[in-house]
Amino acid sequence: MSGRFGSYILYRLATALVVLAGVSVLTFGLIYLTPGDPAETILIQQTDQHPSQAQIDAFRAEHGLDEPIPIQYLEWLSSALRGDLGQSYYSGRDVAALIVQHVPATLELAAASMLVALAIALPTGVLSAVHRGERLDAASQLAALVGVSMPNFWLGYLLIIVFSLHLSLLPVAGSGGLSHLLLPAVALGTGMAAIVTRLVRTSMLEVLDATYVEVARSKGLSERVVIYKHALRNALLPVVTVVGLQFGFVLNGAVVVEIVFQRPGLGMLLVDAVFARDYPVVQGVVLVGAVAFVVTNVLVDLSYRYLDPRIRLGGVPS
Amino acid sequence: MSHPEEQGGSLAGQSRHPAFSRLLGDLRRNPLTLAGALIVAALALVAVVGPVVLTTDPTAQDLPNRLQPPSAAHPLGTDQLGRDVLTRLVYGARLSLGIALAVTAIRVVVGTTVGVVAGYAGGWVDEALMRLVDVQLAFPGLVLALVVAGILGPSLRNVMLALAVVGWATYARVVRATVLSVSEREYVDAARLFGTPPRRIARRHLLPAVLNPVLVLATLNLGTVVLATAGLSFIGLGAQPPTPEWGTMLAGGRDYLRSAWWLVNAPGLAIVLTVLGFNLLGDGLRDALDPHQQSRLEEV
């Protein structure tokens, strides 16, 4: 049993390494999507005038762009593996340090929006499953669909209009204490809540149909005890695991929400760097984001399998 | 229970398209799906006919009439340059739906091709293609699209390109899984035993099985592409002013949240309605066409 799970771990780690290798190639290669010559384009952007050949050559030499592309990649990769993501073309600052500086704002937002999502989704999903097919279920599913369909940048402005401009309860933008966190967390958490509600509902429905719930019912336990003691606990395990690590969604959403609320997080760092063609910063943020995404997906997979003995005992999927 | 795809073509006439008539029945029974279908149909109508009816130039400025609240002359008010918001929304519908269709079409073609090739070829081809899919899905979709579009240079065309590039992998996965599971089914084995030519098996058994999850996925995708396009334009990477694009319009209204609330809310509402329409329709189609829910995979 544990041998099988052990070999699954090895298999999963091996594929993750292959994927990470691919991720690094793609991240590095992004720079060559630049229309025309990267060095020339960057210099035009920086100085607003056409650079001389000498300037281009100097820029290439300074940033290692004069070497053959495979060598550039290997050098970039070996530095990255040592934690050195290069320097910003503009400020000259260490990219790794820049990322470290911007991570807390994004993590804060991620954690807070996750809390908002769970606070909305848990009761809604459970009620929806318990009252399956009834009006309440239909209403909550429709609400979830509206939540998924809502652009979080518009929701952000709606929140600002109501709570900051009209009620003057919360600050419009910036970062700082809890008051700066609340609106962005709701803007980002609502979309997530919609997804999680569906997850909770499905998971709960599955559990409610399971044999041990039948057994609990047939023992004469009250429906309330069956639902909240037996069913909910089992339904929540996979949900919390999956939700706790919904990294991709948070990263996607954080970019836009950070712009709306002017929060100095990774999303804002990335967007500013993209517009400035500050490639080392772009590559650094993309790499860190993708690695975090891959790692969390592996963890989700493993914990999900570990928590569910039916899957744990199963074979390696193709 | 009759499975239409298992019956031969000899059953002509009334039951020629049993899946289709069943689908219509399902649509009629489920009010939410019907609502989705109506929203999508209305939007399509607006996108096609709207610009013919509203002939005012959506980019024509009228500075004396700037920031007018909604009125009879301007049902949704005017923006900071005096342009009619309703007219711009209508032209924006054409833009958004056109982009969503184009991007989704590219994703479907590329993803389905990759999935069919991987599923049929097997071996190292399959392995290589699927690792490529893994790599693509290893990036948070919108982040990758943002970077690709930004490096290519801000424009609506590059946003389309970026969204097409980051979105095909899900189709490849779904189609490959379907190909594998269908070719293992007994009725396909039986057909093979009876000497049915592979091409015929592909057309009669494989195509319908692949078509259903792809259709569901594509419908839902139309919504996510509308959302992503608006998001990237909102950031400033997509349509550039004065193009009447919903995300760009929303971004343009951010300095007037207090004085002209309609500037962000009109395009916001248009986006929600559009995406909701596709989601309602897609969910209904999934229940009707894809009961095994193969299309329920990651969403970009």
Side-chain angles (χ1 to χ4, degrees):
Chain A
M1 180 179 102
S2 62
R4 208 174 231 182
F5 188 59
S7 67
Y8 177 75
I9 295 184
L10 283 182
Y11 167 82
R12 197 64 185 78
L13 290 181
T15 49
L17 274 182
V18 174
V19 168
L20 283 176
V23 162
S24 72
V25 172
L26 209 89
T27 307
F28 172 78
L30 283 172
I31 196 180
Y32 288 101
L33 287 176
T34 315
D37 177 69
E40 195 181 336
T41 312
I42 295 161
L43 282 172
I44 292 175
Q45 183 118 356
Q46 278 187 355
T47 58
D48 238 352
Q49 52 192 339
H50 222 85
S52 65
Q53 191 58 42
Q55 283 173 309
I56 296 176
D57 290 340
F59 186 87
R60 285 200 189 125
E62 188 190 343
H63 297 285
L65 295 173
D66 50 351
E67 308 203 49
I69 292 177
I71 303 289
Q72 286 182 37
Y73 166 71
L74 288 177
E75 281 177 355
W76 175 77
L77 182 66
S78 71
S79 309
L81 286 174
R82 281 181 275 115
D84 174 11
L85 293 170
Q87 280 80 38
S88 158
Y89 285 164
Y90 289 82
S91 59
R93 288 193 54 195
D94 196 49
V95 173
L98 270 176
I99 291 176
V100 168
Q101 183 195 334
H102 286 79
V103 157
T106 302
L107 276 188
E108 236 175 55
L109 176 62
S113 56
M114 220 84 97
L115 281 180
V116 170
L118 283 174
I120 300 174
L122 283 183
T124 322
V126 169
L127 280 178
S128 204
V130 171
H131 298 274
R132 163 177 19 178
E134 293 170 29
R135 201 166 282 177
L136 186 72
D137 183 24
S140 91
Q141 288 199 64
L142 181 62
L145 265 184
V146 174
V148 177
S149 311
M150 191 95 168
N152 47 27
F153 45 98
W154 180 44
L155 182 57
Y157 284 137
L158 276 183
L159 293 169
I160 290 177
I161 289 174
V162 174
F163 291 99
S164 306
L165 298 181
H166 285 282
L167 300 176
S168 307
L169 288 175
L170 293 160
V172 172
S175 73
L178 202 60
S179 61
H180 284 93
L181 191 56
L182 197 58
L183 292 187
V186 172
L188 184 51
T190 305
M192 223 184 307
I195 297 171
V196 181
T197 303
R198 290 177 153 200
L199 203 64
V200 173
R201 180 179 177 274
T202 318
S203 175
M204 194 70 187
L205 281 179
E206 247 166 52
V207 172
L208 284 176
D209 285 340
T211 334
Y212 60 86
V213 172
E214 291 289 314
V215 172
R217 277 205 186 103
S218 63
K219 281 197 301 194
L221 295 178
S222 78
E223 194 61 23
R224 182 175 290 246
V225 174
V226 171
I227 289 171
Y228 292 103
K229 187 144 179 254
H230 293 258
L232 184 58
R233 200 193 296 168
N234 286 293
L236 283 193
L237 269 182
V239 171
V240 171
T241 320
V242 172
V243 171
L245 298 166
Q246 277 281 349
F247 214 79
F249 189 89
V250 173
L251 279 185
N252 278 336
V255 174
V256 181
V257 170
E258 283 176 4
I259 303 262
V260 170
F261 292 95
Q262 302 289 305
R263 278 179 71 80
L266 282 182
M268 214 160 164
L269 180 68
L270 179 66
V271 170
D272 286 346
V274 162
F275 275 111
R277 292 196 183 278
D278 196 348
Y279 289 144
V281 177
V282 173
Q283 289 172 322
V285 176
V286 170
L287 187 69
V288 167
V291 168
F293 196 34
V294 170
V295 170
T296 49
N297 278 345
V298 171
L299 290 178
V300 169
D301 254 22
L302 293 182
S303 59
Y304 200 71
R305 267 155 209 279
Y306 185 73
L307 289 172
D308 190 338
R310 280 168 309 179
I311 304 182
R312 186 171 25 168
L313 295 173
V316 174
S318 58
Chain B
M1 284 284 279
S2 77
H3 288 273
E5 62 269 30
E6 290 171 39
Q7 295 163 355
S10 53
L11 286 172
Q14 199 191 350
S15 57
R16 186 98 175 255
H17 297 292
F20 186 67
S21 58
R22 194 188 55 197
L23 179 64
L24 280 184
D26 279 335
L27 285 187
R28 233 172 284 141
R29 264 193 304 282
N30 189 336
L32 285 183
T33 312
L34 190 63
L38 288 179
I39 293 175
V40 170
L43 274 167
L45 192 71
V46 166
V48 173
V49 179
V52 180
V53 178
L54 293 172
T55 46
T56 330
D57 180 359
T59 59
Q61 304 185 5
D62 179 15
L63 290 175
N65 279 319
R66 61 196 296 270
L67 298 175
Q68 293 293 311
S71 64
H74 302 287
L76 292 175
T78 63
D79 68 4
Q80 63 276 23
L81 296 171
R83 299 170 296 198
D84 182 55
V85 173
L86 180 64
T87 307
R88 289 174 65 72
L89 272 193
V90 166
Y91 280 79
R94 178 176 277 193
L95 216 51
S96 290
L97 291 189
I99 290 170
L101 279 175
V103 169
T104 307
I106 300 176
R107 287 178 172 187
V108 167
V109 170
V110 175
T112 308
T113 310
V114 171
V116 168
V117 169
Y120 261 119
W124 68 267
V125 176
D126 181 25
E127 191 67 26
L129 287 176
M130 283 306 108
R131 291 297 84 79
L132 193 65
V133 166
D134 285 348
V135 169
Q136 202 246 272
L137 292 175
F139 292 92
L142 192 69
V143 171
L144 187 59
L146 182 153
V147 171
V148 171
I151 292 180
L152 288 174
S155 83
L156 212 45
R157 194 196 59 142
N158 289 341
V159 160
M160 286 172 60
L161 215 63
L163 286 174
V165 166
V166 305
W168 56 270
T170 317
Y171 291 93
R173 247 190 207 176
V174 170
V175 169
R176 172 182 173 273
T178 312
V179 168
L180 287 183
S181 80
V182 167
S183 38
E184 278 168 12
R185 296 260 166 82
E186 279 167 17
Y187 61 84
V188 175
D189 271 346
R192 221 174 270 138
L193 269 179
F194 282 119
T196 316
R199 185 178 276 233
R200 204 178 149 96
I201 293 182
R203 204 181 58 229
R204 180 143 308 148
H205 300 293
L206 202 61
L207 195 64
V210 169
L211 213 55
N212 287 355
V214 165
L215 187 65
V216 173
L217 209 54
T219 310
L220 294 170
N221 244 206
L222 288 170
T224 47
V225 173
V226 169
L227 213 49
T229 309
L232 291 176
S233 290
F234 168 78
I235 292 174
L237 288 172
Q240 302 298 314
T243 313
E245 198 278 340
W246 293 344
T248 314
M249 289 171 68
L250 221 153
R254 88 174 99 195
D255 295 331
Y256 306 93
L257 289 183
R258 195 190 291 272
S259 54
W261 50 268
W262 56 91
L263 286 187
V264 293
N265 290 331
L269 211 57
I271 298 170
V272 170
L273 205 64
T274 309
V275 181
L276 183 65
F278 286 123
N279 278 340
L280 287 171
L281 187 61
D283 270 15
L285 284 178
R286 162 149 50 208
D287 292 342
L289 293 178
D290 187 23
H292 304 301
Q293 311 238 331
Q294 294 177 53
S295 50
R296 187 170 285 249
L297 276 182
E298 297 89 331
E299 308 193 358
V300 177

